[in-house]
Amino acid sequence: MEIEAVEKEAIEKLSKISNVQELESFRIEFLGKKGKITGLMKNLKNLPPEERPAYGKRVNELREKIEKLFEEKRQQIQRILEQEKMEKMRIDVTVPGARRKLGHSHPVLKVMEEIERIFVSMGFDVVEGPEIETTWHNFDALNTPEWHPARDEHDSFYITDDLLLRTHTSPVQIRTMLERKPPIAIISPGKVYRRDYDATHLPMFHQVEGLHVDRDLSVAHLKFTLEEFARRMFGEGAKVRLRPSFFPFTEPSFEVDVYLSGYGWLEILGAGMVDPNVFLNVGYDPEEWTGYAFGMGVERIAMLKYGIADIREFVRNDVRFLSSY
Amino acid sequence: MRVPESWLREFVDLDWDIEQIAERLTFSGTSVEDILRPFNVSGEIITARVIERFDHPASEKLIVCKVDTGKRIYTVITADKTVNEGDYVILALEGATLNNGLKIEPREFKGVISEGMLCSLEELGLEEKSDRVYRFPDPVELGVNVVEEYGLNERVLDIEITPNRPDCLSIIGVARELSALSGRPLNKPQPDVSFVDEDVQFDVEIEDVEGCPRYSARIMKGVTVKDSPLWMKARLVAAGVRSLNNVVDATNYVMIELGHPVHAFDLNRLKNKRIVVKSAKGGERVLLLDEKEYELKGGEVLITDGENVLALGGIMGGMESGVYDDTRDLVLEVAYFDPVRIRKAAKALGISSESSYRFERGVDPNDVELVSLRLAELIQKLAGGYVLRKFWDVYPRKIEPKKVMLRKARIEKILGTKVEEPGDILRRLEFQVEDRGDSYEVLVPTFRPDVEREIDLIEEIGRIYGYEKVESKVISVPAVNRGWGEKQLFRREISQFMKGMGFDEVVTFSFVDSQKVKKWPLVDREPIALSNPIASDMDVMRTSQFYSLIQVLAENFKRQNRDLKLFEIGKIYFKENGNFREIETLSAMSCGLENPGDYTDKRSVSFYTIKGVLDELFFRLGVNVVYRAAEIPGLFPTRSARIYVENREIGFIGMVDPKLLDEYDVKEDTYFFEIDMELLRKYASKRPAYRPTPRFPAVRRDISFLLPKGFESVKIIELFKKSGGDLVEEVGVFDIYEGKGIPENMVSVTLYVVFRHPERTLTDEEVNKIFEEMVQKAEREFGIRRRF
């Protein structure tokens, strides 16, 4: 039986095929127009007519079977080829990426922005002013006359007798009050300068000060503002306490401690009710207006927040230090 | 201010322990910084008497003593051979600890066992340096523990007194605070002095009434100047003052106790027996007790005898009129000096004394009599002698207590809480208070110069009442507030951009080294010098952030951080037409690898990459800039440019001069730029307008030109843009190449041109034609040629 022989041969050959060329030769040999299976059909005319349908059917069955096997084989080879190609393209996906670096924020400026964001979200305006200030704006207008001992507390950098590098950002409050009518609620972030340089002091550092003036503000409102700030800055558990102190420009004045779990009470801010003399100096009527003010050193808060022991780290700007922020 | 606990308790009887005292003081405005133990001695340190003394059998340097404590006799060895039989001494026995940390135990010295130690004052912490064993001047009871007897177990409150509270620079002042806080009475000293009537020729006159509104003198005679007793030494040392002799110690003691500085003169050292208080003319030279000679500036208050300067009033006594061992007769000065005058003089002469510190903050002009009596009482107790009845007290214009009205409603308005019985709080602070219905009429004692106004009284009430009792109240702020302004938002945008470009943000000092600014004047601006810089290399305000960034870069370089991209948005400062200006700038400095974390990119930073950062910034902000080659001192002459917008310079860029880098030990090519933030923001307000998204395809052509070095290819780009007309959408650089295959001093620059028609697809033919014309025009115009 020729059909069986062809079938046997085809299956045997097909099983040995391992590449595309052999596959194509096989197709021509068996399934092509002149192929062996087509050739079997040619025997049809030599058969008695009654056998022909059965024969034809068997040849067609054979063709279908071989075609099916061929297709399977073709797909198998295809898969192998793809596999090979993929192997060639294999890379080590665990190797570190070719990293592109984003720049880092400076921790002090990062914390300063955070502080600003809190007060902005509470409705305060952000105002700025010059770093080279007149002694009038920096001291006199803030109720610190020339021979007041409190001027010693700020050992200042002078440029001329009347000009200095501002020792706090409070002169911005003076400038703002001279420009705007109350009520006002502002914060003034920025650089300030004092002649001090050691592990806890820099001759240039950053402050955020705030001022809120309205008709009926009292210590109770100051307390709320500071408590709200502390909760947003340090977490809901942060508590605030006021320790009476002295600043020439506020009365009463306070050192403000914030309670942080794990640290205890830490002195973080200075604050107080605006001294009536300051209002008089800017033309506000202290009978009509009251207000509170507060100020904080940004470096100090950044040191607490990040556990930095030496303030000089901030101006060393070692990029490995910066890369944490 | 150091306040020994035992001293404080003499004036107010409290149930509180020292920690409670510290807490109450701190939360009422008298900040206790620490609770100190000034003496580090403990154990059996007792009074004893030397009953036998003999040479050490084996050492010439030592002696052996038999010492009686009243209970037992101890054998003790000492190196102080001046110790004699009969001396009353202090004996430290086994287990005791001395101030230097030494623990006493029996110890053998060359065959003899010493059972204890005879102490010097140094070993007790009462003196800085002693060379002798302490001997009591008079017999004392034996076996008394000196640690307990003289308060060497004393604890001391270390208090920070704010400048407005001179009254608290005294034991009595702090006691008054505690009296107000506790409601317990304040026990003021009541000096008991017996007087002698004796005629003496003496006189006090004040010429400078403004500088010295009150001057009092009292005369004591027949005193014996000597070492102070131990209790006095212990008190003074605990309060942080050195013991000198009994008279000087008494003056210091009274100052600490009552807060009023006093002075003692040797009557017999006064050439004229009178005191005249004058204002210095200037130029006088005085030798003060600190053994320094000062030349007066004029305006100092002088205590004279009419001719000779005896003391610098309120600041320091003179050497010549001082109290010494041979002094017998004293003039005791208790005066009141004007705070501002004292402060000016102390500042001008650079002297700060315990006395000037108090006078410049303000002492009580009206406690003079009490202070003078207390001083006389104390000196008499310590130095004997007698006190003359006559008291010279010149006080031409009495300083009266101020009367201040306090509206009751105002208390709650400021404090935000209702205070019960505010008048009582003031009374406990020794204010006289009359209730006048809606107000109180308050008489302010003259030891409180800080209280002048209603608000000052409210502060007093608040701090004694306690702020922990104030409940917070929610605020409301003006609804027109906008938070951050345009300037701050712009700054943040630029900062974010720079970080996005891989630059680290740094913070640097605004002052730099004037020598560097002078040597490398990157910008032609007059620097602003500080009159009192903190260091010689931080003596001028920077005229460019360059000087700050180069330091950061160099410091990092030294620490082996060598791939650096740094930026700072900060101010530069300069003088212009007599005005002091400060301008915010964006500056960046970079060296090393362009992408250090990226091993697929080995490029180093270059002029073009750092310029690329700027160009992207300008593009983002819609700012059209022009770069012009420029020579900038500090930057490399052929690799730097100034940047212009509408012909106005907004900054500069360049490679840092390697000679400058050498000064900082930086060994990598480094690039820098600085841009004026205010101008940038001004021009950035013109953001790019909307352009419809193209619908038809573009055609691109490239062309390489061989250009002589120094030829500015931007000219070709401009020409292309012009000559190509509306069809040219974009012209840019595709490649810059020099080296192999290119003649020396020539550069190959490949440009690309993108053509696009808004309404149809361009054909190759028409583009080729236009492009060829453009290239030929460039060749003709600039005398350059294309490279094939």
Side-chain angles (χ1 to χ4, degrees):
Chain A
M1 272 300 278
E2 217 177 333
I3 291 176
E4 280 79 8
V6 170
E7 180 175 358
K8 193 173 168 224
E9 187 193 356
I11 287 171
E12 200 178 303
K13 281 198 167 166
L14 198 59
S15 72
K16 287 177 185 157
I17 284 172
S18 67
N19 59 44
V20 183
Q21 289 76 22
E22 286 168 4
L23 199 66
E24 182 58 12
S25 313
F26 176 88
R27 193 187 62 75
I28 294 164
E29 185 178 352
F30 290 93
L31 300 168
K33 276 187 188 138
K34 291 174 182 170
K36 289 186 175 159
I37 293 173
T38 320
L40 285 176
M41 259 331 187
K42 289 175 186 156
N43 294 341
L44 204 66
K45 58 183 187 290
N46 303 330
L47 291 174
E50 65 279 5
E51 287 179 23
R52 283 180 192 171
Y55 182 84
K57 193 173 169 233
R58 281 185 56 209
V59 172
N60 277 335
E61 279 169 2
L62 175 63
R63 173 179 288 279
E64 277 168 26
K65 182 176 178 181
I66 297 304
E67 274 176 351
K68 189 166 165 261
L69 289 173
F70 174 84
E71 182 55 26
E72 279 168 12
K73 192 71 187 180
R74 196 188 63 75
Q75 283 181 15
Q76 185 193 342
I77 286 176
Q78 188 70 35
R79 274 198 300 277
I80 290 167
L81 281 179
E82 277 170 12
Q83 201 63 48
E84 280 172 0
K85 193 176 167 196
M86 282 190 281
E87 268 318 311
K88 259 187 204 158
M89 288 178 69
R90 181 175 289 284
I91 56 165
D92 180 356
V93 293
T94 67
V95 142
R99 192 160 151 191
R100 288 300 174 103
K101 185 181 144 295
L102 273 183
H104 297 279
S105 297
H106 192 282
V108 169
L109 300 182
K110 195 170 174 172
V111 168
M112 188 153 86
E113 188 181 320
E114 211 176 319
I115 296 167
E116 289 176 40
R117 191 178 297 282
I118 289 170
F119 286 108
V120 164
S121 69
M122 285 167 73
F124 285 67
D125 259 353
V126 181
V127 290
E128 295 179 3
E131 293 172 20
I132 298 175
E133 259 299 359
T134 67
T135 48
W136 187 83
H137 285 94
N138 195 74
F139 288 128
D140 303 70
L142 289 156
N143 201 31
T144 317
E146 185 171 3
W147 294 104
H148 196 294
R151 279 210 188 183
D152 273 356
E153 312 256 300
H154 297 185
D155 198 357
S156 327
F157 288 105
Y158 280 89
I159 288 164
T160 66
D161 286 347
D162 310 325
L163 284 179
L164 78 170
L165 299 181
R166 65 180 180 193
T167 59
H168 42 193
T169 60
S170 315
V172 183
Q173 301 179 356
I174 296 296
R175 288 174 179 278
T176 308
M177 286 192 282
L178 287 169
E179 265 170 34
R180 301 190 196 174
K181 295 239 169 304
I184 55 170
I186 55 165
I187 56 161
S188 48
K191 291 186 168 107
V192 299
Y193 302 84
R194 293 182 199 173
R195 283 186 85 245
D196 236 341
Y197 197 4
D198 57 37
T200 51
H201 299 91
L202 293 178
M204 182 199 88
F205 59 101
H206 296 76
Q207 268 194 343
V208 178
E209 296 200 336
L211 170 72
H212 187 188
V213 180
D214 209 330
R215 282 204 158 76
D216 272 308
L217 292 174
S218 70
V219 173
H221 297 104
L222 166 64
K223 218 171 171 183
F224 168 81
T225 303
L226 297 175
E227 283 167 351
E228 189 59 23
F229 166 71
R231 282 193 289 266
R232 296 196 198 185
M233 187 78 203
F234 301 107
E236 289 304 321
K239 284 178 285 191
V240 163
R241 71 181 182 192
L242 304 180
R243 255 186 303 121
S245 186
F246 170 77
F247 305 112
F249 32 89
T250 49
E251 182 147 355
S253 302
F254 307 100
E255 298 286 359
V256 182
D257 299 330
V258 174
Y259 184 85
L260 303 179
S261 55
Y263 286 94
W265 290 101
L266 296 166
E267 184 180 323
I268 294 211
L269 296 119
M273 301 302 295
V274 178
D275 194 289
N277 284 350
V278 174
F279 281 152
L280 292 174
N281 287 336
V282 296
Y284 285 12
D285 179 0
E287 285 297 309
E288 188 178 358
W289 305 101
T290 57
Y292 60 85
F294 53 86
M296 66 194 94
V298 181
E299 276 79 357
R300 170 149 176 80
I301 294 175
M303 285 168 86
L304 285 175
K305 193 173 163 81
Y306 299 122
I308 296 164
D310 186 345
I311 198 170
R312 291 169 292 202
E313 201 74 73
F314 291 130
V315 288
R316 232 171 253 142
N317 294 296
D318 189 305
V319 291
R320 292 163 299 185
F321 166 72
L322 296 177
S323 69
S324 314
Y325 306 101
Chain B
M1 177 76 196
R2 285 166 56 135
V3 177
E5 182 182 1
S6 64
W7 205 343
L8 186 62
R9 289 190 192 276
E10 278 181 20
F11 296 105
V12 58
D13 180 23
L14 297 170
D15 292 336
W16 300 335
D17 64 23
I18 193 164
E19 283 80 13
Q20 284 170 302
I21 290 174
E23 162 113 7
R24 294 303 300 266
L25 284 173
T26 298
F27 286 95
S28 59
T30 312
S31 177
V32 176
E33 303 291 293
D34 208 351
I35 299 172
L36 309 169
R37 284 188 183 278
F39 310 103
N40 179 30
V41 292
S42 62
E44 279 216 75
I45 303 175
I46 53 179
T47 54
R49 184 165 177 250
V50 179
I51 53 169
E52 238 180 285
R53 169 209 193 272
F54 44 88
D55 292 339
H56 191 288
S59 170
E60 279 184 15
K61 288 181 181 155
L62 302 173
I63 55 169
V64 182
C65 299
K66 295 282 182 194
V67 183
D68 181 9
T69 66
K71 277 188 191 154
R72 232 200 83 179
I73 291 167
Y74 294 86
T75 304
V76 181
I77 293 174
T78 178
D80 182 353
K81 296 176 84 173
T82 64
V83 173
N84 276 318
E85 278 169 25
D87 283 352
Y88 286 87
V89 292
I90 295 169
L91 173 66
L93 291 172
E94 180 171 3
T97 305
L98 299 185
N99 203 47
N100 54 12
L102 184 71
K103 251 194 136 62
I104 302 296
E105 48 194 45
R107 196 176 145 197
E108 188 192 311
F109 291 89
K110 302 205 172 179
V112 183
I113 289 175
S114 182
E115 294 173 283
M117 184 169 164
L118 302 184
C119 299
S120 69
L121 292 184
E122 181 184 346
E123 283 148 350
L124 297 175
L126 287 169
E127 206 169 71
E128 260 173 46
K129 185 93 192 84
S130 307
D131 33 50
R132 294 216 166 155
V133 164
Y134 180 70
R135 257 68 58 83
F136 286 96
D138 302 303
V140 291
E141 191 189 331
L142 299 185
V144 175
N145 188 320
V146 299
V147 176
E148 285 155 24
E149 179 71 12
Y150 297 107
L152 301 184
N153 51 1
E154 178 91 280
R155 291 213 279 171
V156 172
L157 298 170
D158 188 9
I159 305 181
E160 194 189 311
I161 306 293
T162 52
N164 59 325
R165 294 300 304 275
D167 62 302
C168 281
L169 293 167
S170 66
I171 309 292
I172 191 90
V174 176
R176 186 182 296 115
E177 291 290 303
L178 288 164
S179 160
L181 288 165
S182 66
R184 296 292 182 92
L186 178 68
N187 311 316
K188 287 197 201 167
Q190 283 161 340
D192 181 16
V193 183
S194 53
F195 299 106
V196 170
D197 290 301
E198 183 181 306
D199 270 346
V200 64
Q201 202 213 333
F202 190 75
D203 190 22
V204 172
E205 189 190 329
I206 303 175
E207 283 181 9
D208 182 5
V209 179
E210 184 238 345
C212 177
R214 187 175 191 182
Y215 194 97
S216 82
R218 191 183 291 283
I219 290 180
M220 281 187 76
K221 289 196 165 180
V223 300
T224 310
V225 177
K226 59 184 181 187
D227 209 21
S228 280
L230 275 194
W231 67 265
M232 168 63 90
K233 286 175 183 288
R235 277 265 161 101
L236 289 180
V237 170
V241 175
R242 258 185 334 140
S243 166
L244 291 171
N245 61 47
N246 52 0
V247 172
V248 173
D249 286 1
T251 63
N252 282 327
Y253 192 95
V254 168
M255 174 182 71
I256 292 165
E257 183 172 272
L258 300 176
H260 200 134
V262 299
H263 189 66
F265 298 101
D266 183 334
L267 176 62
N268 301 315
R269 286 189 166 87
L270 270 57
K271 295 205 178 75
N272 306 316
K273 303 302 177 217
R274 59 196 290 238
I275 295 283
V276 182
V277 184
K278 298 181 177 181
S279 176
K281 293 190 175 63
E284 300 97 324
R285 304 185 76 86
V286 293
L287 183 63
L288 298 184
L289 282 169
D290 61 1
E291 299 176 26
K292 287 184 202 152
E293 198 182 45
Y294 293 89
E295 187 179 326
L296 302 183
K297 314 273 175 192
E300 295 91 344
V301 180
L302 295 181
I303 313 302
T304 72
D305 64 357
E307 291 168 49
N308 310 293
V309 178
L310 307 175
L312 200 51
I315 298 178
M316 199 177 281
M319 270 296 254
E320 278 177 39
S321 59
V323 172
Y324 300 94
D325 288 352
D326 61 353
T327 298
R328 304 286 301 160
D329 303 332
L330 301 170
V331 177
L332 305 180
E333 167 199 291
V334 183
Y336 172 74
F337 299 102
D338 177 64
V340 170
R341 290 281 298 278
I342 296 300
R343 184 166 166 71
K344 281 184 180 171
K347 256 203 134 171
L349 298 174
I351 311 176
S352 177
S353 64
E354 291 281 339
S355 173
S356 68
Y357 192 81
R358 285 173 175 81
F359 277 119
E360 67 186 29
R361 282 161 175 74
V363 304
D364 185 0
N366 293 329
D367 67 357
V368 162
E369 215 165 333
L370 171 76
V371 173
S372 179
L373 286 174
R374 176 73 177 128
L375 178 62
E377 178 192 49
L378 201 56
I379 293 177
Q380 199 166 35
K381 185 170 167 190
L382 299 171
Y386 57 94
V387 185
L388 267 55
R389 187 179 304 278
K390 188 162 163 71
F391 181 48
W392 289 265
D393 183 7
V394 182
Y395 194 9
R397 273 197 310 273
K398 184 163 192 261
I399 297 168
E400 299 286 352
K402 275 172 258 163
K403 192 199 283 177
V404 181
M405 295 304 289
L406 169 59
R407 290 165 292 173
K408 291 178 180 172
R410 194 75 185 172
I411 302 171
E412 188 173 350
K413 184 170 164 103
I414 298 294
L415 298 180
T417 192
K418 180 133 188 66
V419 178
E420 301 296 331
E421 299 300 331
D424 282 352
I425 290 177
L426 294 175
R427 285 188 195 101
R428 294 208 297 268
L429 289 164
E430 293 193 56
F431 292 71
Q432 286 177 45
V433 182
E434 295 280 341
D435 198 323
R436 297 264 185 266
D438 287 345
S439 296
Y440 293 109
E441 186 182 305
V442 181
L443 221 50
V444 181
T446 46
F447 56 77
R448 291 300 305 273
D450 59 312
V451 178
E452 297 179 303
R453 304 167 297 166
E454 182 180 55
I455 189 71
D456 302 324
L457 293 171
I458 295 173
E459 176 180 43
E460 293 303 300
I461 292 163
R463 68 185 186 83
I464 299 295
Y465 176 73
Y467 286 103
E468 71 285 351
K469 295 179 203 144
V470 177
E471 297 282 338
S472 57
K473 290 187 190 135
V474 180
I475 56 163
S476 65
V477 300
V480 292
N481 281 1
R482 289 166 186 204
W484 282 301
E486 224 184 278
K487 185 173 171 182
Q488 288 97 28
L489 294 172
F490 182 73
R491 184 189 300 141
R492 173 142 2 112
E493 181 185 349
I494 303 301
S495 169
Q496 295 290 6
F497 171 87
M498 290 304 292
K499 285 172 213 164
M501 284 288 173
F503 284 73
D504 289 329
E505 184 177 45
V506 300
V507 168
T508 60
F509 292 146
S510 312
F511 16 69
V512 295
D513 187 350
S514 61
Q515 297 301 318
K516 296 289 184 195
V517 177
K518 211 163 153 189
K519 187 165 179 192
W520 305 103
L522 279 98
V523 291
D524 184 20
R525 280 167 170 161
E526 188 185 346
I528 296 169
L530 295 174
S531 63
N532 57 342
I534 199 164
S536 63
D537 60 354
M538 295 198 253
D539 60 338
V540 288
M541 301 304 284
R542 61 188 179 199
T543 50
S544 163
Q545 298 198 98
F546 176 87
Y547 308 103
S548 304
L549 288 182
I550 187 73
Q551 281 183 41
V552 174
L553 184 111
E555 181 65 25
N556 269 288
F557 206 82
K558 207 183 293 166
R559 294 159 168 245
Q560 293 178 312
N561 307 324
R562 292 183 175 169
D563 303 310
L564 297 164
K565 284 186 173 165
L566 310 170
F567 85 98
E568 179 168 20
I569 297 173
K571 281 178 171 174
I572 61 167
Y573 312 80
F574 54 92
K575 236 185 278 182
E576 192 178 60
N577 305 325
N579 294 322
F580 293 86
R581 303 262 335 258
E582 43 191 280
I583 290 180
E584 190 166 76
T585 58
L586 160 69
S587 308
M589 194 176 272
S590 180
C591 70
L593 288 173
E594 177 65 32
N595 284 302
D598 180 351
Y599 44 80
T600 69
D601 181 358
K602 307 288 189 222
R603 290 172 306 146
S604 284
V605 174
S606 70
F607 183 89
Y608 297 120
T609 61
I610 195 165
K611 186 179 174 186
V613 171
L614 267 188
D615 283 346
E616 174 64 10
L617 177 65
F618 294 141
F619 174 76
R620 287 265 159 174
L621 300 175
V623 178
N624 290 315
V625 301
V626 173
Y627 292 81
R628 293 192 196 126
E631 289 191 13
I632 297 168
L635 300 184
F636 198 71
T638 53
R639 286 193 179 183
S640 47
R642 296 194 189 280
I643 308 166
Y644 299 85
V645 179
E646 295 173 8
N647 275 322
R648 186 152 179 198
E649 186 181 336
I650 66 158
F652 59 95
I653 181 170
M655 184 171 105
V656 181
D657 193 326
K659 290 200 290 284
L660 187 158
L661 290 178
D662 274 351
E663 291 178 10
Y664 289 91
D665 280 327
V666 174
K667 312 215 181 305
E668 289 268 2
D669 286 355
T670 298
Y671 296 87
F672 175 77
F673 67 70
E674 184 157 285
I675 304 293
D676 183 324
M677 283 284 282
E678 277 152 45
L679 288 178
L680 188 64
R681 183 157 62 92
K682 181 182 158 194
Y683 292 114
S685 49
K686 301 166 192 162
R687 303 271 167 153
Y690 164 73
R691 281 189 311 191
T693 312
R695 290 166 53 218
F696 294 92
V699 179
R700 176 179 152 139
R701 291 289 180 271
D702 293 352
I703 178 79
S704 296
F705 288 104
L706 209 52
L707 302 174
K709 276 204 170 179
F711 185 89
E712 293 178 346
S713 42
V714 67
K715 287 186 198 159
I716 308 176
I717 294 174
E718 292 304 319
L719 182 86
F720 277 4
K721 281 182 182 165
K722 226 186 324 174
S723 58
D726 292 343
L727 293 183
V728 171
E729 185 178 78
E730 193 187 338
V731 185
V733 173
F734 179 63
D735 187 35
I736 298 175
Y737 176 73
E738 57 187 293
K740 210 175 157 197
I742 303 295
E744 213 170 304
N745 292 322
M746 298 291 270
V747 192
S748 163
V749 175
T750 307
L751 301 177
Y752 67 88
V753 182
V754 177
F755 296 90
R756 195 195 303 271
H757 194 287
E759 270 134 30
R760 61 181 174 82
T761 304
L762 289 169
T763 64
D764 274 352
E765 291 73 32
E766 59 181 328
V767 169
N768 287 347
K769 186 164 171 282
I770 299 164
F771 188 57
E772 182 56 29
E773 282 166 9
M774 286 161 61
V775 172
Q776 284 183 17
K777 188 166 186 209
E779 287 177 323
R780 272 200 316 276
E781 200 137 306
F782 303 125
I784 54 175
R785 58 186 179 83
R786 72 187 89 184
R787 179 172 169 245
F788 297 98

